[in-house]
């Protein structure tokens, strides 16, 4: 596992340099979910893939930017799913972006995730590592990753980050978000999953939601690359992650690019979601 974390650190240092150079041209290629890939996504993907390919402990990798699983070493122990640069279009407007990694054993399913990592590229570069027992925050300085603290969530937070648009929200979801406004939650939504969830984690609580909507009944966020790693992190930090009906990590995966509705937060807010979605 240590080898994998070291490889992620190496990729992070390389990606940070690429972002700082400021190459933001659009590429002609599209990824499997139809987004137009930006050059930064592609370059970051290549950096990460090349570094993982050096590790004998890795059996397979799969990237959000690629159609298929890549075989590395048939005798390797670990499977890694990653989103090389989530929200990469936000670099154009100088907002934070991030990389997300889920490390699995046996197969790419929620109940087989054993570790998760994400990296935020913002005013600072920070890395959060979850081994299933603790969630640790590191900060990059001079290409070193210094331990800052363990992240633990409170019972209740003060922030809400509601994904998608009101036009596409189902009535019960709209009702829940309106109730949160009435209960004095602050609205915060950058449009980047990594910084938005990082915000909630570091503030100790709140709710990030990306529900099923009238245009995307299964939500937008990808299970392997986005939803499972963050569910693992939120649960380990003492919060929770649900799709409204069940724990996110119990959702069945039928295809590597499956999406699912998801809610991440502290326990009070997750209970609020479960209550609201119970009879839907
Ligand atoms: P993006 O499309 O910019 O890559 O991964 C998808 C994602 O960003 C998340 O980072 C973000 O939380 C979400 O989409 C934002 O979607 P909406 O604009 O539909 O709310």
């Amino acid at each position: 596992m240590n080898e994998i974390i070291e490889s992620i650190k190496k990729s992070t240092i390389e990606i940070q340099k690429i972002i700082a150079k400021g190459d933001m041209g659009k590429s002609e290629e599209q990824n499997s979910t139809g987004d137009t890939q930006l050059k930064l996504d592609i370059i970051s993907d290549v950096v990460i893939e090349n570094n993982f390919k050096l590790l004998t402990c890795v059996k397979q990798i799969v990237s959000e930017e690629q159609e298929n699983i890549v075989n590395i070493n048939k005798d390797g122990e670990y499977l890694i799913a990653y989103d090389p640069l989530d929200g990469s279009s936000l670099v154009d407007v100088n907002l934070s972006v991030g990389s997300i990694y889920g490390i699995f054993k046996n197969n790419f399913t929620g109940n087989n995730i054993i570790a998760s990592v994400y990296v935020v590229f913002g005013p600072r570069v920070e890395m959060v590592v979850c081994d299933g027992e603790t969630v640790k925050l590191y900060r990059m300085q001079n290409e070193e990753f210094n331990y800052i603290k363990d992240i633990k969530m409170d019972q209740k937070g003060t922030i809400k980050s509601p994904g998608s648009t009101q036009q596409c929200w189902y009535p019960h979801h709209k009702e829940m978000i309106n109730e949160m406004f009435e209960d004095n939650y602050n609205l915060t939504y950058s449009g980047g999953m990594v910084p938005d969830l990082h915000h909630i984690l570091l503030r100790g609580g709140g709710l990030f939601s990306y529900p099923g909507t009238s245009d995307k009944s299964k939500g937008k966020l990808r299970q392997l690359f986005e939803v499972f790693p963050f569910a693992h992190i939120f649960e380990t930090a003492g919060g929770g992650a649900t799709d409204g009906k069940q724990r996110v990590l119990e959702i069945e995966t039928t295809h590597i690019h499956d999406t699912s509705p998801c809610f991440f937060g502290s326990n009070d807010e997750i209970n609020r979601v479960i209550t609201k979605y119970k009879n839907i």
Side-chain angles (χ1 to χ4, degrees):
M1 185 57 65
N2 219 22
E3 273 184 314
I4 294 175
I5 305 296
E6 288 309 310
S7 173
I8 292 174
K9 288 181 186 172
K10 188 166 175 251
S11 296
T12 299
I13 293 165
E14 290 176 42
I15 293 169
Q16 165 66 6
K17 286 183 182 154
I18 295 161
I19 293 174
K21 247 172 49 189
D23 184 357
M24 283 160 285
K26 298 218 180 206
S27 92
E28 297 303 310
E29 290 176 47
Q30 290 210 327
N31 67 9
S32 61
T33 33
D35 304 333
T36 303
Q37 290 180 319
L38 302 182
K39 268 190 185 166
L40 274 177
D41 296 359
I42 299 168
I43 301 166
S44 305
D45 191 23
V46 171
V47 166
I48 293 169
E49 178 170 340
N50 286 344
N51 284 327
F52 280 149
K53 275 183 170 163
L54 301 172
L55 306 183
T56 51
C57 67
V58 177
K59 185 173 184 178
Q60 293 179 324
I61 57 173
V62 58
S63 164
E64 200 229 328
E65 302 300 340
Q66 293 184 39
E67 202 70 48
N68 299 310
I69 291 174
V70 177
N71 292 312
I72 307 270
N73 172 15
K74 67 176 176 31
D75 300 320
E77 195 178 353
Y78 301 106
L79 315 173
I80 307 175
Y82 64 95
D83 185 349
L85 206 60
D86 187 78
S88 60
S89 62
L90 295 175
V91 173
D92 283 350
V93 291
N94 206 17
L95 287 175
S96 301
V97 295
S99 307
I100 312 167
Y101 303 85
I103 298 143
F104 300 75
K105 269 192 178 175
N106 304 318
N107 57 32
F108 288 107
T109 55
N111 56 9
N112 277 322
I113 193 163
I114 57 154
S116 321
V117 177
Y118 70 84
V119 176
V120 192
F121 298 94
R124 294 168 174 154
V125 176
E126 293 187 328
M127 180 173 76
V128 170
V129 180
C130 170
D131 61 3
E133 286 181 6
T134 58
V135 179
K136 296 190 186 301
L137 171 68
Y138 298 85
R139 191 168 293 150
M140 192 175 104
Q141 204 173 20
N142 301 325
E143 303 195 356
E144 295 288 326
F145 289 79
N146 302 316
Y147 169 76
I148 305 295
K149 63 173 184 177
D150 277 34
I151 299 177
K152 292 200 178 76
M153 300 196 75
D154 302 329
Q155 180 63 22
K156 181 182 183 311
T158 57
I159 302 171
K160 64 172 180 312
S161 284
S164 184
T165 59
Q166 297 203 33
Q167 249 182 2
C168 298
W169 290 347
Y170 291 122
H172 59 280
H173 185 73
K174 197 167 180 174
E175 199 176 270
M176 184 182 77
I177 300 297
N178 285 342
E179 285 162 4
M180 292 184 81
F181 267 116
E182 282 158 20
D183 290 344
N184 225 12
Y185 280 86
N186 289 322
L187 174 66
T188 160
Y189 194 70
S190 76
M193 182 186 195
V194 176
D196 286 336
L197 286 169
H198 192 56
H199 192 174
I200 290 171
L201 278 166
L202 291 193
R203 286 285 151 81
L207 182 71
F208 176 96
S209 50
Y210 209 109
T213 54
S214 57
D215 60 335
K216 294 183 181 106
S217 64
K218 294 197 164 167
K220 174 184 183 187
L221 302 177
R222 290 87 167 167
Q223 293 174 356
L224 297 195
F225 317 105
E226 298 168 315
V227 178
F228 291 160
F230 273 111
H232 188 232
I233 289 168
F234 269 69
E235 285 193 354
T236 308
T242 177
D243 68 353
K245 297 280 178 209
Q246 59 179 338
R247 274 177 70 228
V248 157
L249 292 178
E250 285 168 4
I251 300 172
E252 208 188 322
T253 299
T254 52
H255 185 272
I256 54 172
H257 287 283
D258 278 355
T259 61
S260 97
C262 54
F263 302 84
F264 306 93
S266 31
N267 288 321
D268 270 23
E269 289 77 7
I270 291 298
N271 289 336
R272 186 188 273 263
V273 174
I274 292 168
T275 307
K276 184 58 75 183
Y277 275 71
K278 196 167 52 196
N279 300 317
I280 305 302

